[in-house]
Amino acid sequence: MAALFGRRMRRGAASTAVAAAAMAALSASGAPSAVGEQPAASAAERPSAGASGQEDPSVTGDSPYHTDLPPLKGPGRNDPPDETPATGSAESGIPATVLDAYRKAEASLAASNPRCRVPWELLAAIGKVESGHARGGRLDTNGTTPSPILGPVLNGVGFANISDTDGGAYDGDTLHDRAVGPMQFIPQTWESWGRDGNGDGRRDPNNIYDAALAAGSYLCAHDRDLTVERDLHQAILGYNRSQEYLRTVLHWYDYYRKGAHEVPDGSQPAPGAPTGTGGKTPSPAPVRPGTPSPSPTKPGKPTKPAKPGDGSSSKPTPPPTTPPPTTPPPTTPPPTTPAPATRLVDLGDGALSAPAGERFAERPAVRAERADKKPAAQAKVRFTLTGETGTTFEGGATTVTVTTKADGVAKAPALLAGGKPGALTVKATLLGTTEAVTLGLRGEVTAPRADKLVRTDETELTCEAGATFEGRIALTATRDGQAAPGVAATATVLAGADPADGEKAADQGPYFLTPGDEPAEDRRTRELTLTTDAKGNLLLPELHTDDTTGTFRLRVETTGGAVVVLELKVTDPA
């Protein structure tokens, strides 16, 4: 396998190096991404989870990757026509723990995001290309690599230039970021997409269970369906913006779908790690046309200087000089020791509130501080949601762990309000301390709202005194153009046709009947509270009239401020 790996790398080295350099140049220049919510060939922008107007980096920061292709057959190759991998072949073997992580990630996402339909074979293809399945399954009993798998320093030399975003917490580099772990996440992407795949309460990019679930979650972003080719290609290109990368992953994906089997952890040779040339053999430097090739110096006796008077016009050859020592290349600084944290400070303004079914405007945020009240970098803070509202963090989790940056700040992912109004608590717990340090952040899910209310029936709103209006009034409530279910609304009969007549319920004219066994006279009401159904529809009860004639108003208002005012006319009996 190692020989096959090396041979394939050398064969595509030149074109791959050019492609990698071009993609790195695009990333460093801030050029638009080649992948987005448009077809890959024409996309100009990808939706970002970051600040408005900023483009998210790819998962790997477009780091280099392993480019060995599976032994697929096809036109133009001197291989047999059969494209099915041999049963039990070394190439189709996946280390046991790694395969278990891929399959568990598929099952977890099938439950939390069934629309996406991410297959484990796709995660296997990416894991193969990024790290050779965690260096051939070299993992401890928890599924964590004994030593970090790190990509090259993303300092703009041959790759993207990404300054440090994690204080060295993940990659040990306080100057620039590096891709980390079996699925090669750069730290800033891991902060947003990291997941706890093995249930130990931590999000560790070096753990195959956490990394595989995080990779699947990222591939499913933007409501993708990975059985749709366009969505599949966009998801892969979001991992590394290279058409060669897309082609390589798709080859392995197809290969594993045709057959894969489990092998013992560590039984496969670890692939060659990506290097500064992208894991490929560098091409020789081009020779400028017209430049003579230097002749190699042959070993032997040193050249003697010409003697004076021997007829030679050449000057004596100076003795060889020792070249000056070269400056050693800069080295990555050693990892910094995390400063101990002893307390948490709430950075919120108490505005953790959102209507049911909507995103909270504020994200829970705390600052970890040392005993001297200075910020503590690289501290681990676990955010846990409690309450009966059904609220989750973005991605569906109710527990996430965040590492503080240099300013000591840890921000939880965005909160998505559940469908049940009520109180909730976000517990922030400082991990790694001898005594538990927990901070409770209070929040609330308010009643769902609507921003628009329209009438959908055509009932004639004229009735004779002492009779009942024909038909029932129907309305539909929406929020941001979508149906708004469970929204409370108040229907009130008002006196007079002019708003100057007041907004209080009338004491005569049209009325509703509340349910009950009492006489109708005792069940009359001119103010009624209702709730929209699952499709945002609102159907008012029948309207009756007493003996009072004239023009009245029916005002219907929802939570959120959507209002409809209808004119009711009561005429003399015919």
Side-chain angles (χ1 to χ4, degrees), residues 540-563:
L540 273 60
E542 288 183 326
L543 262 174
H544 308 277
T545 67
D546 58 16
D547 296 333
T548 307
T549 61
T551 301
F552 301 84
R553 286 169 294 145
L554 176 63
R555 188 177 192 274
V556 184
E557 180 176 8
T558 70
T559 303
V563 178

Side-chain angles (χ1 to χ4, degrees), residues 96-154:
T97 299
V98 181
L99 180 59
D100 184 56
Y102 296 150
R103 286 174 168 163
K104 285 185 176 176
E106 177 192 55
S108 176
L109 289 164
S112 64
N113 190 354
R115 169 182 166 78
C116 178
R117 291 181 279 191
V118 59
W120 70 261
E121 293 91 345
L122 177 59
L123 298 174
I126 291 175
K128 172 68 175 178
V129 172
E130 292 297 342
S131 68
H133 299 313
R135 296 175 177 153
R138 283 158 176 78
L139 304 164
D140 63 18
T141 56
N142 295 320
T144 303
T145 59
S147 60
I149 301 175
L150 297 176
V153 179
L154 297 176

Side-chain angles (χ1 to χ4, degrees), residues 339-407:
T342 60
R343 64 194 296 258
L344 293 175
V345 178
D346 182 9
L347 298 182
D349 57 5
L352 284 179
S353 178
E358 299 188 43
R359 182 190 299 267
F360 282 67
E362 297 293 327
R363 290 166 57 186
V366 298
R367 182 174 61 250
E369 294 183 348
R370 305 191 305 239
D372 57 5
K373 296 187 178 180
K374 290 185 178 180
Q378 304 176 33
K380 301 287 186 182
V381 178
R382 179 189 298 158
F383 291 95
T384 305
L385 277 166
T386 60
E388 303 298 328
T389 64
T391 299
T392 66
F393 293 108
E394 190 171 34
T398 56
T399 299
V400 296
T401 302
V402 179
T403 301
T404 62
K405 298 184 180 180
D407 58 2

